[in-house]
Amino acid sequence: MPLDPLTDEQREIRDLIRELARERIAPRAHDIDNSAEFPWDVVELYRENDIFGMLYDEEYGGIGASALMTLVAIEEVSKVCATSGLIIAAQELGSLGIKLAGTDEQKERFLPRLASGEWLAAYALTEPGSGSDSAAMRSTARRDRDAYVVNGGKRFITNAGVAHVYIVFAKTDPTEGHSGISAFVVEADTPGFGVGRIEPKMGIKGSTTGEVFFDDCRIPANNLLGEEGEGFKVAMQILDRSRPGIGAQGLGLAQGATDYALEYAKSRETMGKPIAEHQLIGGMLADMETKCEAARGLLYRCGQMIDDGVDGSELTKISAMAKLYCTDVAMEVTTDAVQILGGYGYIQEYPVERMMRDAKITQIYEGTNQIQRLVIARQMLKEQRAFLLAGVS
Ligand SMILES: Cc1cc2nc3c(=O)[nH]c(=O)nc-3n(C[C@H](O)[C@H](O)[C@H](O)COP(=O)(O)OP(=O)(O)OC[C@H]3O[C@@H](n4cnc5c(N)ncnc54)[C@H](O)[C@@H]3O)c2cc1C
């Protein structure tokens, strides 16, 4: 009896993606990490197999898969290659602004080429002086007749240099905090847009992370998403729906590392028996598997809630919980997998070394896990609960 809530049809799709990941992506994972080059061949594989199409409705050329199935796809791919899992998650992150706040005209203009994978997308919120504190951003967008003139720069942008479409947040009213921020679509071929340094980094090495800058970058006024001043709201609505994708990446890493450590522990012998039969190792494996299953329960519940149309503070809370728990599990479990492999776990030839490095970022991006805890606690404080403690009123 499977523990997951998937229907037979969803399980069939999952199995197809699992096969694609094992046969076509797993053999590339080591080289993608080693070369730190963006894997365009994986993008091509996604294009051929309509993987990007899962993220978009049929009317825009997609296949309209559910949010739950998108999470399952990211999980399956991340079991073997977290960089390749991130390509799906980043495409969703960079498209959600248009899907949630775009006009019909904007959707028709941008979504079909994102659905086919001809264009990749990026989400550009972070700046050198503003990560967790996005209201401190300095990039500006000044209205000038039928255009906005954007100036400033963004840092640590996933897909910098490979994306065609960037969802950019800038202040239309620099005297205001959150309420001065607006959201825009910026195409990479717009004069005044440029890509700066691409960062060398600890993990997810095949994914580009870089600076983008705007130097009197003039974008059409009809590239504004929503109303002026609504950018922060749009940014947060996007994160409510994209954070579970990072949870799925974390869960994939954790399950991939557990599966590898289990196989290793069955074949590696010390003191006359497989290490899996030493109770301390068996106990670690049991904890790893249990954490993965608990994380999956929370993540899939979150996916189902998105599909059921749950919105607002309820979604904010469950999505932060799914991101927080799955990614903390990713770090714990991949670290344990390295421990189970002993010295071999520390050697690059074995994938758990890469998985542990890849796992770390999942606790940091799309809001650090400290920020997720703040978000969850803030929602808890707003909730009305029946008090169980005598004397508390
Ligand atoms: C590989 C990579 C890819 C990324 N991709 C993108 C992307 O595509 N788009 C994008 O916009 N950004 C992206 N980022 C940026 C990422 O989201 C930020 O780095 C992250 O949100 C943290 O911001 P910061 O680095 O400025 O850290 P800071 O905000 O300076 O935080 C530093 C530390 O202080 C803690 N902290 C901060 N405020 C509080 C608080 N109030 N309470 C408790 N602790 C707090 C943080 O948790 C952290 O531990 C990416 C980053 C990396 C490394």
Side-chain angles (χ1 to χ4, degrees):
M1 174 75 183
L3 293 173
D4 64 62
L6 303 181
T7 62
D8 287 346
E9 194 192 342
Q10 288 173 325
R11 220 166 273 135
E12 263 175 45
I13 300 171
R14 179 201 60 194
D15 292 347
L16 285 172
I17 296 169
R18 184 175 287 176
E19 202 181 310
L20 200 69
R22 282 191 186 157
E23 289 181 5
R24 304 287 301 277
I25 299 175
R28 286 276 293 120
H30 177 77
D31 276 354
I32 291 170
D33 179 61
N34 204 34
S35 68
E37 280 172 14
F38 184 77
W40 282 108
D41 58 322
V42 173
V43 171
E44 195 51 43
L45 187 72
Y46 290 164
R47 287 172 178 154
E48 284 165 9
N49 289 277
D50 239 345
I51 300 291
F52 291 121
M54 292 180 72
L55 314 174
Y56 307 88
D57 288 342
E58 285 174 31
E59 61 179 310
Y60 300 113
I63 57 172
S66 61
L68 175 60
M69 280 318 292
T70 301
L71 297 177
V72 169
I74 297 169
E75 176 194 348
E76 287 303 325
V77 173
S78 300
K79 281 181 185 172
V80 301
C81 177
T83 289
S84 300
L86 180 59
I87 291 173
I88 307 172
Q91 186 77 344
E92 174 71 342
L93 173 70
S95 301
L96 273 166
I98 303 170
K99 292 201 253 178
L100 294 170
T103 60
D104 288 346
E105 183 277 323
Q106 288 169 334
K107 289 178 186 169
E108 276 156 28
R109 194 149 44 103
F110 297 113
L111 294 184
R113 282 198 264 194
L114 292 168
S116 68
E118 180 189 342
W119 285 350
L120 298 181
Y123 172 91
L125 181 68
T126 303
E127 297 187 1
S130 79
S132 306
D133 183 10
S134 41
M137 73 171 58
R138 293 201 148 161
S139 294
T140 57
R142 177 177 48 83
R143 180 80 194 237
D144 181 25
R145 300 186 304 276
D146 59 350
Y148 282 93
V149 182
V150 184
N151 278 289
K154 298 284 172 181
R155 180 169 285 175
F156 297 158
I157 304 309
T158 299
N159 280 354
V162 298
H164 180 83
V165 168
Y166 293 76
I167 304 305
V168 175
F169 299 87
K171 289 227 169 131
T172 36
D173 184 351
T175 62
E176 290 290 334
H178 292 138
S179 59
I181 299 172
S182 301
F184 302 91
V185 187
V186 179
E187 293 190 55
D189 53 9
T190 313
F193 172 86
V195 176
R197 177 186 149 93
I198 301 293
E199 308 286 352
K201 54 191 186 298
M202 177 191 290
I204 54 159
K205 290 190 176 200
S207 171
T208 64
T209 308
E211 288 175 332
V212 295
F213 55 85
F214 313 93
D215 185 8
D216 281 336
C217 179
R218 203 176 164 85
I219 55 165
N222 66 357
N223 280 20
L224 174 72
L225 286 175
E227 300 292 325
E228 266 191 31
E230 282 185 356
F232 184 74
K233 195 176 89 186
V234 173
M236 296 303 117
Q237 283 174 337
I238 293 171
L239 291 175
D240 280 350
R241 285 162 181 80
S242 67
R243 280 176 176 156
I246 301 306
Q249 187 191 27
L251 173 59
L253 278 161
Q255 190 68 64
T258 302
D259 295 348
Y260 195 89
L262 174 64
E263 285 312 304
Y264 185 87
K266 286 197 288 193
S267 61
R268 175 78 174 171
E269 293 197 2
T270 67
M271 292 139 203
K273 58 182 176 183
I275 59 169
E277 290 176 25
H278 295 303
Q279 286 186 354
L280 290 174
I281 298 291
M284 283 175 82
L285 286 165
D287 284 347
M288 290 157 75
E289 182 89 332
T290 304
K291 286 176 188 174
C292 286
E293 208 57 70
R296 187 171 293 108
L298 185 56
L299 182 75
Y300 286 13
R301 175 88 193 101
C302 179
Q304 281 178 320
M305 285 170 70
I306 296 173
D307 290 328
D308 290 346
V310 171
D311 208 344
S313 58
E314 214 182 332
L315 176 60
T316 300
K317 184 179 169 194
I318 185 94
S319 112
M321 287 163 74
K323 193 272 183 183
L324 168 68
Y325 190 73
C326 291
T327 62
D328 278 356
V329 162
M331 199 65 240
E332 290 163 18
V333 166
T334 55
T335 306
D336 283 349
V338 168
Q339 192 70 20
I340 288 177
L341 267 73
Y344 295 92
Y346 202 69
I347 303 297
Q348 288 193 346
E349 191 184 334
Y350 291 81
V352 291
E353 181 268 348
R354 182 187 74 244
M355 291 168 167
M356 182 177 152
R357 281 187 288 107
D358 285 351
K360 186 62 213 169
I361 189 59
T362 66
Q363 295 181 303
I364 295 172
Y365 56 17
E366 296 204 25
T368 64
N369 281 5
Q370 282 94 336
I371 296 300
Q372 306 310 316
R373 288 182 168 90
L374 289 182
V375 167
I376 297 161
R378 201 180 303 135
Q379 298 305 329
M380 290 170 71
L381 292 172
K382 283 188 211 159
E383 288 165 9
Q384 298 291 328
R385 298 190 185 183
F387 288 116
L388 299 174
L389 296 176
V392 178
S393 57

